[in-house]
Every structure is written in structure tokens, then in C-alpha cells.
């Protein structure tokens, strides 16, 4: 497929707008950790590393990063046994009434979510009180921040505006709970950036979000809300108008290509027929506009979901693979949970059935919180984040004790760090060493808060077979792993 056709297809999808003003000073007031009485109390300390069990890390020759859309940890795993979930006394003020709103079980397959811009994140976190979620929904029709659907007001205000306080459990997402019960769930994992989908996806491949007036890396300046200047760049029903974006700074594929490490970024429409006509929105596939990808001749590495299934079946998976959904299977409000879970199950099952399963690690995560309630206030690592807590499940034949819950502090940057440690001898996206300097404020993978996933594997034990699940499973019991 011609690149221009691919780009055109990718930019169809969800309508997302933005606010222009950044409130970086507000980030300095945030501090990580639960409020008094939250969840299980004080978060457990990070588990010390045990390198004896990770000496065989080179057995992981294939890393698959599955990125779904817009769900908080408390929304999906807030009642998961043993996790730092929804506090018993959780109740968020509602400015439209004299009462606060408690988290509630939401059995709906489709939800509206809430505003999830940088400004909405500042409002939700509310200087660490984690009590602004309903208030931001109320503010949205008055122009509080980004959209959460179309038409936005009717979707954001569903269920009387308390949609963002709803949570799911094994009755709605039994496969995700079963993966957590078989592999490793992380309950202290945060989006890398305190903003929405596009900056989050930029961080997932480059550990930065910036605006670049020219293709030169040193022209790029930090920006966590709009990685380009309106009105030259924007979205109308998900489409670009005006000039296409330019992402001139260095992303991880530059280091992978330089060291001869294979990678692919799988996008598109239905994975059943390979049709890209209802494809991945461009904001979820920013890899196409990185100048180093084009300069390296690597644009052909952006391929379809159908190609992923062929690669998995034929033992041709690259060393590093990103898989991002189409809109219908994304779980982005108002996309259905059942469709998204079924799609993810197909993706994981394909890897488990393929000949490369015994050398694979799958990171299943969600890009941002989507406006949904979470009670743990994010840590401050720099002016950009972290953002709110999102789920992460690590799936591999070598994960340690089945059903483990890892309480270490981590972010998307830790996934890049794992890739760098495993395939690049520890090289980092560091302007001082990567040969392509830019002005990023922080080398995120080098921060102690990025996380270290090496001790989540046990190579002293034999590899376990994959857990193959039906696409549409029977609902499990409430609050108990099925």
C-alpha cells in the first residue's frame, strides 16, 4: 500500500480536540501515593530485584506491546483481589448536587468517559485529592477541555455525569481478569504523560512529546498537549487538516534500526479481513510522522493487523512489535468493551499459538485514563508527568508466580527501558549519547521511577504454555478472578 494511502486511512477515526494553555506549574503540587484511607493504605514498597532469576533475559527475543485506549486502573481492576483498588470510603464531590458520587458497578458495554486533556488531568487530580472527576464532566460543556465523544455533551453526561465513576470486573472483562490471574498485574503503573492519547502514544515510542517547527531534532520544544500549533494542525472527525505533523526528535526505532533490531508497528481495520478502510486514527499511530523513521527507510515497517496474524503464525514476528487498534476495537469510549476484549484476545492467542511463544513477552496496557476515576495520585517525575494510573498486564511463559501483583512504581518508560536493556545493551534515548541530540528535558528511561521489569520473569522455571481463551467468554463472578 502506498504511504500516502496508509496515512490517509490512519487519520480516520475519533474526534479529539484540545486546549492550548499548559499549566506545568500545577504539576509541581502533585505527589504520588494514596490519600488517607485509600485502597490498602500505604502502597507497598517496590520489590527488590533478584537478578539470579533474570540471567536468562536474552530468552525474550520478541516483545509485543499492545496499547488499548482510555481506561484507568480503578475502572478495570479496582475490585481485583489483592490489588490497590477502590477505597471503601471513596466518594467524589458532584457540583450538581449536595452529594458526593461513589464508585459503582457499571455493566454497560459502552461508556462515555470524561474529559482527558492536560487541563482535565489537573482538575481530576486536584492537587492530589483525586476528587475532580465528576466536576470535570460537569465543566466540560462549558469548555473545560478535550472531547470525550460526539456529540460530546450527551456522551459525557450519560448516567447523570457519573459514568466516570463506574467500574467493571470479571462480569464484563473476564479475559483481562483471567490474564491477570495467570500472569502478572501491575497496580502502580502510570501513563508517562499527564495528558491525552496523542502525547501518550508519542511517549510510548519516544519517551517525549514536543512541537517541532522544523524537522531538525534541536528545533523541538517540550509540549504535552498540542505537539503542533493550531490552526495548522488539528482534527476534524479524526482527520488531519492543514500540514501533517512533524516529529523531529528521536524515537526508539532509530536506536533499533541502528543496531539491526527488527521492529514493526501494526495498525488498521478488521484483523479478520485485512481491510484498512476503518483504520487506526493517526493520533494512535504517530510513528508515521517521525522524521528519523522516514530517513531510515523504515516506513514500510508500519503494517496491518492482518500481517501481524500472518507473522505470528509463520514465526516471523519482529524483535519489537507495537499493536494499536482500530476505533471499533479500541475500548475508547464509546467503543464496546466486548469487542475490544475479543480483539485483544485474538492478538494474544495468535502469539501463544505461534512458534515464537517461548521467546515472547507481551505488555498489555492502556494509553491514558480517559477521564475515569482512579484514587492513586500520580508521582511527579518532571514537568510532563506522570499521568494517571492505567492497567498493565505482563504475559509471558516466564512470568513469575502465576497471579502475582507487582507493586513497583513504573510507567511506559519502563517498557522502553526493558527493550533497550534486552536488545540495545542498555543504550538510552539520551541526547548526549544517541548520536541524534534533541532538547528533551529528561532521559525518562534512566529515572528510578521508570520501573524495572526484569525481576518479573523467572527463567529458572520451564516455560509455561499459553492461556488460550475464547473471544467471547462467559462472564466471571464479581470481584473474584475467574
Amino acid at each position: 500500500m502506498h504511504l500516502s494511502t496508509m496515512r490517509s486511512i490512519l487519520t480516520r477515526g475519533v474526534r479529539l480536540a484540545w486546549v492550548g494553555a499548559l499549566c506545568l506549574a500545577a504539576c509541581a503540587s502533585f505527589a504520588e501515593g494514596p490519600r488517607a484511607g485509600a485502597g490498602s493504605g500505604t502502597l507497598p514498597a517496590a520489590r527488590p530485584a533478584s537478578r539470579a532469576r533474570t540471567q536468562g533475559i536474552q530468552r525474550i527475543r520478541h516483545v509485543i506491546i499492545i496499547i488499548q485506549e482510555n481506561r484507568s486502573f480503578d475502572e478495570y481492576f479496582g475490585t481485583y483481589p489483592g490489588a490497590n483498588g477502590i477505597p471503601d470510603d471513596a466518594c467524589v464531590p458532584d457540583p450538581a448536587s449536595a452529594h458526593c458520587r461513589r464508585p459503582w458497578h457499571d455493566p454497560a458495554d459502552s461508556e462515555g468517559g470524561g474529559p482527558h486533556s492536560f487541563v482535565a488531568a489537573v482538575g481530576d487530580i486536584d492537587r492530589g485529592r483525586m476528587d475532580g472527576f465528576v466536576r470535570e464532566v460537569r465543566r466540560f460543556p462549558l469548555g473545560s477541555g478535550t472531547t470525550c465523544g460526539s456529540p460530546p455533551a450527551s456522551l459525557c453526561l450519560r448516567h447523570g455525569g457519573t459514568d466516570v465513576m463506574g467500574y467493571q470486573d470479571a462480569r464484563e472483562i473476564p479475559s483481562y481478569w483471567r490474564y491477570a490471574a495467570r500472569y502478572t498485574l501491575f497496580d502502580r503503573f502510570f501513563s508517562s504523560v499527564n495528558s491525552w492519547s496523542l502525547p501518550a502514544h508519542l511517549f510510548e515510542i519516544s519517551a517525549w512529546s514536543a512541537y517541532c517547527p522544523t524537522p531538525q531534532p534541536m528545533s523541538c520544544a517540550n509540549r504535552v498537549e498540542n505537539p503542533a500549533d493550531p490552526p495548522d494542525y488539528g482534527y476534524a472527525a479524526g482527520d488531519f487538516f492543514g500540514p501533517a505533523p512533524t516529529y523531529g526528535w528521536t524515537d526508539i526505532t532509530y536506536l533499533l534500526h541502528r543496531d539491526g533490531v527488527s521492529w514493526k508497528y501494526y495498525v488498521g481495520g478488521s484483523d479478520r479481513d485485512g481491510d484498512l478502510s476503518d483504520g487506526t486514527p493517526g493520533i494512535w499511530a504517530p510513528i508515521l510522522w517521525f522524521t528519523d523513521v522516514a530517513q531510515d527507510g523504515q516506513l514500510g515497517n508500519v503494517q496491518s493487523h492482518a500481517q501481524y496474524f500472518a507473522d505470528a503464525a509463520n514465526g516471523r514476528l519482529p524483535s519489537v512489535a507495537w499493536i494499536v487498534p482500530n476505533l471499533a476495537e479500541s475500548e475508547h469510549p464509546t467503543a464496546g468493551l466486548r469487542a475490544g476484549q475479543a480483539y485483544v484476545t485474538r492478538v494474544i492467542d495468535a502469539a501463544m499459538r505461534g512458534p515464537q511463544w517461548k521467546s515472547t513477552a507481551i505488555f498489555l496496557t492502556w494509553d491514558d485514563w480517559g477521564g475515569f476515576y482512579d484514587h492513586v495520585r500520580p508521582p511527579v517525575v518532571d514537568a510532563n508527568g506522570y499521568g494517571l494510573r492505567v492497567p498493565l498486564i505482563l504475559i509471558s511463559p516466564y512470568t513469575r508466580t502465576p497471579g502475582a501483583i507487582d507493586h513497583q512504581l513504573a510507567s511506559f518508560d519502563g517498557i522502553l527501558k526493558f527493550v533497550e536493556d534486552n536488545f540495545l545493551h542498555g543504550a538510552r534515548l539520551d541526547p548526549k549519547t544517541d548520536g541524534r541530540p534533541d532538547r528533551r528535558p529528561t532521559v525518562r528511561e534512566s529515572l528510578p521511577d521508570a520501573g524495572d521489569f526484569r525481576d518479573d520473569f523467572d527463567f529458572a522455571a520451564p516455560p509455561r504454555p499459553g492461556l488460550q481463551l475464547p473471544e467471547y467468554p462467559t462472564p466471571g463472578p464479581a470481584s473474584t478472578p475467574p
Side-chain angles (χ1 to χ4, degrees):
M1 178 176 293
H2 192 274
L3 175 61
S4 63
T5 304
M6 174 73 83
R7 282 174 167 167
S8 176
I9 287 169
L10 285 170
T11 55
R12 300 173 188 165
V14 65
R15 175 177 297 170
L16 290 169
W18 54 75
V19 292
L22 296 183
C23 308
L24 295 180
C27 290
S29 65
F30 304 161
E32 186 270 331
R35 55 186 177 145
S40 57
T42 303
L43 282 173
R47 175 173 36 80
S50 175
R51 297 293 167 241
R53 292 190 299 176
T54 63
Q55 292 179 355
I57 194 66
Q58 290 76 22
R59 291 190 185 183
I60 301 299
R61 304 315 306 154
H62 307 281
V63 173
I64 299 173
I65 305 164
I66 304 171
I67 307 166
Q68 292 293 96
E69 293 294 315
N70 291 46
R71 304 288 165 171
S72 74
F73 184 90
D74 274 345
E75 189 204 0
Y76 270 11
F77 293 98
T79 60
Y80 190 87
N84 182 28
I86 299 171
D88 292 338
D89 61 352
C91 203
V92 169
D94 182 354
S97 71
H99 305 287
C100 61
R101 301 289 183 174
R102 296 184 60 80
W104 58 286
H105 174 247
D106 186 354
D109 186 59
S110 174
E111 297 144 326
H116 45 283
S117 64
F118 176 84
V119 168
V122 171
D124 284 352
I125 296 168
D126 191 18
R127 296 182 179 271
R129 289 185 284 267
M130 307 306 292
D131 64 359
F133 298 87
V134 176
R135 181 174 60 247
E136 288 303 304
V137 173
R138 301 293 188 214
R139 289 179 56 200
F140 172 74
L142 301 178
S144 70
T146 96
T147 64
C148 45
S150 176
S154 64
L155 296 179
C156 289
L157 294 175
R158 293 196 311 177
H159 303 112
T162 67
D163 189 295
V164 295
M165 299 302 295
Y167 65 84
Q168 287 74 48
D169 56 30
R171 290 169 285 185
E172 292 74 40
I173 48 172
S175 294
Y176 293 156
W177 278 46
R178 290 194 68 186
Y179 288 136
R182 177 66 177 266
Y183 299 103
T184 301
L185 175 68
F186 294 76
D187 68 356
R188 208 179 176 199
F189 182 84
F190 297 84
S191 180
S192 288
V193 62
N194 203 26
S195 193
W196 62 293
S197 289
L198 175 56
H201 281 271
L202 290 169
F203 266 86
E204 285 158 358
I205 55 176
S206 72
W208 197 25
S209 174
Y211 165 63
C212 307
T214 78
Q216 299 303 315
M218 291 299 288
S219 77
C220 304
N222 193 74
R223 190 174 291 184
V224 299
E225 188 67 23
N226 302 328
D229 274 336
D232 295 329
Y233 165 58
Y235 298 92
D239 294 327
F240 289 112
F241 60 84
T246 297
Y247 304 135
W249 67 95
T250 307
D251 73 273
I252 190 66
T253 70
Y254 175 79
L255 300 182
L256 295 174
H257 175 69
R258 186 185 65 183
D259 280 24
V261 180
S262 60
W263 67 271
K264 288 186 180 181
Y265 199 103
Y266 296 100
V267 301
S270 170
D271 54 68
R272 297 184 181 279
D273 57 17
D275 179 14
L276 295 177
S277 62
D278 181 21
T280 300
I283 53 174
W284 303 344
I287 192 71
L288 280 169
W289 291 277
F290 271 88
T291 57
D292 57 4
V293 176
Q295 291 166 359
D296 287 340
Q298 298 289 288
L299 287 169
N301 290 12
V302 182
Q303 299 185 1
S304 70
H305 288 163
Q307 187 61 52
Y308 163 76
F309 286 91
D311 289 346
N314 296 326
R316 296 178 180 174
L317 289 172
S319 296
V320 185
W322 291 267
I323 307 179
V324 292
N326 65 30
L327 185 59
E329 297 169 332
S330 67
E331 298 166 59
H332 187 293
T334 57
L337 303 184
R338 282 171 52 83
Q341 181 180 245
Y343 150 76
V344 170
T345 300
R346 292 193 296 273
V347 169
I348 294 173
D349 186 73
M352 289 177 171
R353 291 180 181 272
Q356 295 167 316
W357 165 243
K358 291 184 179 181
S359 56
T360 294
I362 300 172
F363 292 87
L364 169 60
T365 189
W366 285 256
D367 68 337
D368 67 56
W369 86 113
F372 291 101
Y373 172 74
D374 194 83
H375 79 279
V376 177
R377 53 188 186 266
V380 178
V381 299
D382 59 18
N384 294 329
Y386 292 148
L388 281 88
R389 198 170 55 145
V390 295
L392 172 68
I393 305 174
L394 174 59
I395 299 170
S396 175
Y398 299 104
T399 51
R400 63 190 183 93
T401 307
I405 299 176
D406 192 328
H407 304 294
Q408 70 166 310
L409 175 58
S411 76
F412 297 147
D413 310 312
I415 299 177
L416 289 180
K417 177 181 176 180
F418 180 84
V419 168
E420 292 164 350
D421 287 346
N422 199 29
F423 298 110
L424 299 173
H425 309 288
R428 300 283 183 251
L429 286 166
D430 186 340
K432 296 180 180 179
T433 61
D434 63 19
R436 198 173 182 272
D438 53 42
R439 297 183 184 277
R440 65 184 64 217
T442 312
V443 180
R444 278 294 193 86
E445 313 95 287
S446 296
L447 296 178
D449 292 340
D452 189 338
F453 300 114
R454 290 176 295 176
D455 199 45
D456 290 290
F457 298 87
D458 185 357
F459 294 107
R464 289 179 284 139
L467 176 66
Q468 296 169 11
L469 301 177
E471 290 182 25
Y472 296 98
T474 301
S479 302
T480 303

